[in-house]
Amino acid sequence: NFLHRVRNALHYHDKGNDILTLRLQGVVANEFGYPQKSILRRIECFMKDYYTHARNVYNHTKSVFEIFELQHDEGQQYGLRSKLTFGLIKKKLKSLDNYTIRNKRLFPRRKTIFEENPNRLIRLFAYCQKYELSPSPSLRKLIKANWTFIDKSFRMRIENRDAFREILEKKGQVARTLRLMHRCGVLGRYLPEFGALDCLVQHEFFHRYTADEHTLRCIDQLDNLVDDKDPKHEIYRDIFVKHPDPYALFIALILHDTGRAENVRRHIDGSAILAARLCKRLKISGGRRALIIFLVDHHLTLWRFATKKNIDDPEVIREFAEIMRDRHRLDALLLFTYADSNGTNEEAWSPWKETLILQLYRNTREFILKGMTAGKEEIDQDVQETLSEIKSGLKEKYHAIFDQHSKLMPKRYFRYRSKKSISKHIVALWQYIDRRERRPKTPFECAVQWIDRPKFGYSELIIVSHNSYRFLEKTCCALATHQINILSADVYTRPDGVALDLFRVCNDDFKAMANSNTKKSVVATLYQINQQEAYEPAQYLKKKENFLKPETKQIFEFPVRVWTSNNLDPHYTVIELQALDRIALLHDVLRTVNDHNLVTVHSRICTEKGAALDSIYVSTPDGQKLTDQDAVDRLENDLKNLLT
């Protein structure tokens, strides 16, 4: 009846197109009279009911077809062919405890098995896991009739704890078993913390699925690693296969989003409280409990550091390493982040984000194994060894430029940057200085180098020139003119005035820049913009249609936010932005930052499902943080006006 009412409402509000879009979800929720004050809460409650009814219809339909299939098989077994052969082809039914096995399904021997021993409600799924079986329709019906046995005392019994732990310790077989428990209504009743997520919808950028389905998909991701032969996943597979405590990993995954049902401001806080409560109930203590609480409490930390902070800065590596404390936690968190991101939606684990996360992981692991005990002299020695290796790989004509560059650049520039990238920087510096010496009177000169990384879905763009007014902004304009996405930007201005700007960029298909003509056009546009006396970006940035903008007005506007913090970085003020993504967004933001007489030193760009979640690191012209609150308020206000 509920689904018919939804269909009827859609027919009147959107004739001929019975699709429950986000816009129509609010319309139908209002028409159904949901009492929640916020339109988002009304939509969430309505969609929870919708998914619950739709799933019930789906499961009931599957059960009906399953019963028909079983009856058909029985008809063949006891039909004419069986009579003609005097029943000789009749197979003897296999027995298992209080069940019989037929067609890879468990059937109850009698209707009182759970009344006799309610603990069988958990143990039967251990059988399903061990022998690759599924509950039959009759057994599922019997389980439903005995849900009332799953109460507080049931959850506290040691037999059930042991059976559940046994299920979670079988790597590669956990996801299927938990899905069986979820379909039979046992998982959410045995773990009420997970049960609160049932068909829970929350409208935000990242999650495509309901909270319970997202959790099970995360567990799918871990299980799939066992038989995954893809070389790209080797690092995750090795960590998972060698991890000594899968029970802790799976418990943490089950719990990591449970706080979403608690209506707290930060779901992580609610999840951590529920994790502590469950550990107490399941008698989990010591190192296992500490790992579960850590993973739940920090399940977004690796992603946030990698996508929001300057991970080439040793101070950032040190800060992250102090949170991790040891490599075992770091390994577990990498595995957790992989599962969580891939279980969120198909686009959440892009090659670019994986590159950032693995870079942070490897640098932190090296720091933990060596750097946390290393003194300043040992770190300086490592930098000197890196410099020697780079210099030995360069042609002799670059040596003088390299020696000068190594004296003028900060040590953090050399510590966590690849030798190949630094070598390309030296080549670009040599080219720029050579051109400037040969053409000293030209208004603008630069040198450009590209490093394509198709495996990771981006290209490195190296630009060397003398620092000039709004140079970074003009560079972003040149890239936006050719529909090139900027993934990150690092800006280094040496004491001698030479600017080394480093970009990671991709095309509008989020792939490396393979088209050489486009690369040449970018350089030509960069020269053209910088040779003009007056900078007019409007003539280059023709307004493009925003395909992310909905065709019809939404029930609620896209949430645009601007935060400014002096606590996220020890050296710079950090501006965090949230807005609809578009080409030239970074250019427009930098233009506003420049208008406030601030210097951009680093930016980290993150895009999720059409939403830009960017971090811009800025300082005053004298290299200090922006501490004037009036200036901060003006900056935030102008950025909000720009983004809306």
Side-chain angles (χ1 to χ4, degrees):
N1 182 50
F2 181 89
L3 296 178
H4 278 300
R5 289 175 60 209
V6 174
R7 164 67 180 79
N8 188 62
L10 288 176
H11 179 74
Y12 283 105
H13 289 286
D14 193 21
K15 294 182 179 179
N17 188 18
D18 299 330
I19 299 175
L20 192 56
T21 61
L22 183 59
R23 180 178 66 86
L24 291 173
Q25 288 171 19
V27 173
V28 177
N30 286 334
E31 187 170 307
F32 278 30
Y34 282 85
Q36 288 73 19
K37 294 181 180 179
S38 164
I39 181 62
L40 278 178
R41 292 289 175 259
R42 290 197 291 274
I43 292 175
E44 288 169 7
C45 290
F46 162 63
M47 291 305 296
K48 180 181 176 72
D49 290 343
Y50 170 81
Y51 281 122
T52 300
H53 290 298
R55 185 182 63 188
N56 289 341
V57 171
Y58 172 76
N59 286 337
H60 181 72
T61 304
K62 281 193 69 176
S63 295
V64 169
F65 278 96
E66 193 175 351
I67 291 170
F68 286 160
E69 179 188 348
L70 291 169
Q71 289 177 345
H72 177 266
D73 292 342
E74 286 181 3
Q76 286 188 330
Q77 184 175 353
Y78 298 105
L80 179 62
R81 185 184 174 198
S82 177
K83 292 178 181 178
L84 292 174
T85 56
F86 302 100
L88 294 177
I89 64 171
K90 181 179 178 181
K91 294 182 180 179
K92 184 178 179 181
L93 295 178
K94 295 181 180 179
S95 297
L96 178 64
D97 197 4
N98 288 276
Y99 311 94
T100 56
I101 302 173
R102 188 167 74 249
N103 292 357
K104 302 292 287 183
R105 293 176 178 86
L106 276 181
F107 291 81
R109 285 189 169 184
R110 55 192 177 279
K111 294 184 178 181
T112 59
I113 58 172
F114 298 127
E115 295 174 17
E116 297 165 7
N117 184 0
N119 297 339
R120 290 170 179 157
L121 285 165
I122 296 292
R123 176 55 61 182
L124 78 91
F125 293 101
Y127 292 149
C128 289
Q129 182 186 61
K130 184 175 182 179
Y131 299 104
E132 297 183 356
L133 304 171
S134 300
S136 64
S138 59
L139 182 55
R140 290 198 298 269
K141 186 176 180 180
L142 188 60
I143 291 170
K144 182 177 180 180
N146 289 275
W147 279 345
T148 53
F149 286 117
I150 308 177
D151 54 14
K152 184 177 180 180
S153 63
F154 179 93
R155 299 183 192 105
M156 298 294 291
R157 288 176 199 151
I158 189 171
E159 299 96 327
N160 297 328
R161 292 204 306 267
D162 290 345
F164 190 63
R165 186 180 68 249
E166 180 183 323
I167 289 170
L168 296 190
E169 287 178 342
K170 300 287 179 59
K171 297 176 183 177
Q173 304 174 47
V174 176
R176 175 183 175 274
T177 309
L178 292 185
R179 284 190 178 276
L180 291 177
M181 294 179 70
H182 189 41
R183 182 183 178 185
C184 294
V186 173
L187 183 60
R189 286 172 172 79
Y190 183 63
L191 301 179
E193 298 83 0
F194 175 80
L197 301 181
D198 193 37
C199 293
L200 179 66
V201 175
Q202 292 214 339
H203 290 297
E204 35 96 328
F205 307 131
F206 307 105
H207 291 86
R208 176 169 294 175
Y209 307 102
T210 57
D212 57 329
E213 178 63 18
H214 161 67
T215 301
L216 294 173
R217 282 178 175 267
C218 292
I219 296 170
D220 283 332
Q221 294 297 326
L222 278 194
D223 261 0
N224 292 340
L225 287 173
V226 173
D227 298 319
D228 194 339
K229 305 300 182 184
D230 190 341
K232 295 178 182 178
H233 299 155
E234 184 177 358
I235 184 172
Y236 315 109
R237 180 173 60 250
D238 287 348
I239 293 174
F240 182 53
V241 170
K242 295 175 183 177
H243 197 279
D245 196 356
Y247 181 49
L249 287 178
F250 286 118
I251 285 288
L253 272 177
I254 291 171
L255 293 170
H256 79 282
D257 269 351
T258 50
R260 293 187 181 277
E262 296 296 297
N263 284 325
V264 292
R265 185 173 182 181
R266 294 178 71 251
H267 80 274
I268 294 176
D269 296 335
S271 300
I273 293 171
L274 293 173
R277 183 191 304 171
L278 180 63
C279 286
K280 183 178 180 180
R281 188 169 75 243
L282 295 181
K283 306 299 181 186
I284 299 173
S285 59
R288 174 175 284 169
R289 180 186 184 278
L291 179 60
I292 291 171
I293 300 297
F294 168 80
L295 290 174
V296 171
D297 203 24
H298 290 283
H299 72 268
L300 295 177
T301 301
L302 177 55
W303 176 84
R304 283 175 175 163
F305 265 74
T307 59
K308 294 288 185 181
K309 297 204 173 190
N310 182 8
I311 57 177
D312 294 319
D313 187 344
E315 290 300 320
V316 172
I317 304 299
R318 177 183 292 277
E319 180 187 358
F320 185 68
E322 288 173 351
I323 296 173
M324 297 298 104
R325 296 201 307 186
D326 61 60
R327 63 183 179 86
H328 302 293
R329 285 187 169 191
L330 177 64
D331 287 348
L333 189 60
L334 174 67
L335 202 59
F336 204 100
T337 305
Y338 168 83
D340 191 20
S341 295
N342 282 283
T344 298
N345 65 71
E346 286 74 9
E347 295 83 27
W349 191 254
S350 66
W352 161 242
K353 287 171 195 163
E354 183 178 24
T355 301
L356 293 178
I357 287 170
L358 288 179
Q359 179 184 341
L360 176 58
Y361 165 77
R362 288 172 176 138
N363 290 343
T364 305
R365 204 170 196 275
E366 177 189 350
F367 186 86
I368 289 173
L369 294 176
K370 184 178 181 181
M372 293 187 81
T373 57
K376 184 177 182 301
E377 293 181 0
E378 189 174 346
I379 293 173
D380 291 344
Q381 183 180 350
D382 288 344
V383 172
Q384 290 302 320
E385 290 176 359
T386 300
L387 293 175
S388 299
E389 290 179 23
I390 295 171
K391 187 173 181 179
S392 63
L394 292 170
K395 294 180 180 179
E396 189 174 349
K397 68 177 182 179
Y398 299 128
H399 286 186
I401 297 293
F402 176 78
D403 291 338
Q404 181 189 37
H405 188 61
S406 61
K407 294 176 182 177
L408 295 174
M409 295 296 284
K411 289 180 181 177
R412 63 183 175 87
Y413 162 83
F414 295 99
R415 189 160 185 215
Y416 293 115
R417 201 173 296 277
S418 72
K419 299 178 181 66
K420 180 181 178 181
S421 295
I422 295 176
S423 298
K424 282 284 190 179
H425 300 173
I426 299 302
V427 173
L429 283 163
W430 184 90
Q431 289 176 343
Y432 169 69
I433 293 172
D434 178 66
R435 288 171 188 170
R436 182 45 77 191
E437 288 176 349
R438 289 187 287 108
R439 300 192 287 264
K441 295 183 179 181
T442 54
F444 174 77
E445 288 293 343
C446 74
V448 176
Q449 289 282 327
W450 297 82
I451 305 176
D452 292 330
R453 301 190 184 276
K455 179 181 177 182
F456 303 110
Y458 71 90
S459 296
E460 289 185 31
L461 171 60
I462 304 159
I463 301 177
V464 179
S465 183
H466 256 82
N467 193 31
S468 59
Y469 183 61
R470 295 184 182 270
F471 178 63
L472 179 60
E473 180 185 330
K474 294 175 182 178
T475 303
C476 292
C477 178
L479 293 169
T481 301
H482 297 280
Q483 301 294 294
I484 295 175
N485 290 300
I486 300 173
L487 299 173
S488 74
D490 287 315
V491 181
Y492 294 97
T493 302
R494 303 192 323 187
D496 61 354
V498 173
L500 174 63
D501 292 353
L502 312 174
F503 298 88
R504 289 185 175 99
V505 299
C506 65
N507 59 24
D508 50 8
D509 291 326
F510 296 97
K511 296 180 180 179
M513 300 297 302
N515 192 319
S516 59
N517 291 329
T518 302
K519 294 177 181 178
K520 293 176 183 177
S521 298
V522 168
V523 177
T525 305
L526 185 62
Y527 267 86
Q528 185 179 354
I529 292 174
N530 282 276
Q531 286 173 344
Q532 294 177 346
E533 292 185 7
Y535 173 47
E536 296 293 341
Q539 69 182 89
Y540 298 96
L541 300 175
K542 296 179 181 178
K543 192 168 183 179
K544 303 289 182 180
E545 181 179 356
N546 187 356
F547 294 102
L548 298 172
K549 187 176 181 180
E551 296 180 3
T552 55
K553 187 176 180 180
Q554 296 284 0
I555 291 297
F556 54 92
E557 296 296 327
F558 187 94
V560 170
R561 297 191 179 102
V562 178
W563 301 271
T564 303
S565 173
N566 283 316
N567 300 320
L568 294 177
D569 188 90
H571 309 295
Y572 308 111
T573 297
V574 181
I575 306 168
E576 293 197 336
L577 310 172
Q578 174 180 293
L580 276 176
D581 190 29
R582 58 178 171 82
I583 294 291
L585 176 63
L586 181 59
H587 167 271
D588 294 344
V589 169
L590 293 180
R591 187 172 180 82
T592 303
V593 169
N594 286 332
D595 289 342
H596 285 259
N597 196 30
L598 295 172
V599 178
T600 302
V601 293
H602 172 73
S603 67
R604 182 69 71 190
I605 314 302
C606 178
T607 304
E608 293 283 353
K609 295 175 68 177
L613 309 169
D614 301 344
S615 299
I616 314 295
Y617 292 68
V618 301
S619 69
T620 59
D622 58 353
Q624 302 300 312
K625 291 184 178 183
L626 181 63
T627 55
D628 184 345
Q629 190 57 47
D630 290 338
V632 169
D633 292 341
R634 289 194 298 271
L635 174 63
E636 288 186 350
N637 186 60
D638 287 351
L639 285 172
K640 286 177 182 176
N641 291 336
L642 167 71
L643 299 177
T644 53

